[in-house]
Amino acid sequence: MDRLFDYFTNHPFLAGGAVLMVIVVLAYEIRQRSLGAGAVSPAQAIRMMNDGAVVVDVRAAGRYKDGHIQGARNVPGDQLAEGTLPLEKLADKALIVCCDDGATSASAARTLARAGFSSVFTLRGGLTAWRHENLPVAKG
């Protein structure tokens, strides 16, 4: 322990930088966990769907009709921004939020997490990644 103290006194800038980096990493991790949103791959999403997770597609209704994940519920992002009322019944279930490429769904997932949904995930890469994995897409 004395050697550690000697190091800190002999190299204050290096020690200070190390302490600062630890604080930054901890703050980032705590922030990510407090948002409650994580990204899942298409394969992980399928496993979660088999366990009862619900897919929420936040694209516009027209884009949803062009192709969506089977069983996904369409709640456009602008409607979700106004309130989470359409999803209140699903508060106890795991939600997988998806969009075309994953950018819009991240914002929607943060909105849901702030609204009190405890288990919210995004589909990493969105519907583009889903199609890239040659997974089925429903139309209509």
Side-chain angles (χ1 to χ4, degrees):
M1 193 62 150
D2 291 334
R3 295 182 74 193
L4 183 62
F5 181 72
D6 288 341
Y7 179 81
F8 274 84
T9 56
N10 291 333
H11 305 287
F13 292 116
L14 290 175
V19 169
L20 181 65
M21 291 305 296
V22 167
I23 291 170
V24 168
V25 169
L26 287 174
Y28 176 78
E29 289 296 323
I30 290 170
R31 181 175 174 266
Q32 287 299 102
R33 293 188 193 279
S34 71
L35 291 176
V40 296
S41 69
Q44 290 170 318
I46 291 171
R47 280 188 222 106
M48 291 174 68
M49 289 165 60
N50 289 338
D51 290 335
V54 177
V55 178
V56 178
D57 194 322
V58 294
R59 299 176 300 150
R63 302 280 315 200
Y64 176 81
K65 288 180 183 175
D66 290 341
H68 58 274
I69 297 172
Q70 182 70 35
R73 296 176 189 227
N74 183 232
V75 181
D78 54 350
Q79 183 182 354
L80 191 60
E82 294 171 4
T84 60
L85 187 61
L87 299 173
E88 292 296 322
K89 294 178 183 175
L90 303 174
D92 60 334
K93 294 195 178 254
L95 299 179
I96 303 170
V97 184
C98 75
C99 63
D100 283 323
D101 58 7
T104 308
S105 61
S107 174
R110 284 191 297 272
T111 301
L112 290 169
R114 277 189 230 116
F117 289 83
S118 59
S119 187
V120 182
F121 302 90
T122 59
L123 181 61
R124 187 180 304 122
L127 205 57
T128 302
W130 185 269
R131 286 183 173 134
H132 188 263
E133 297 281 333
N134 294 321
L135 295 169
V137 176
K139 296 198 181 213

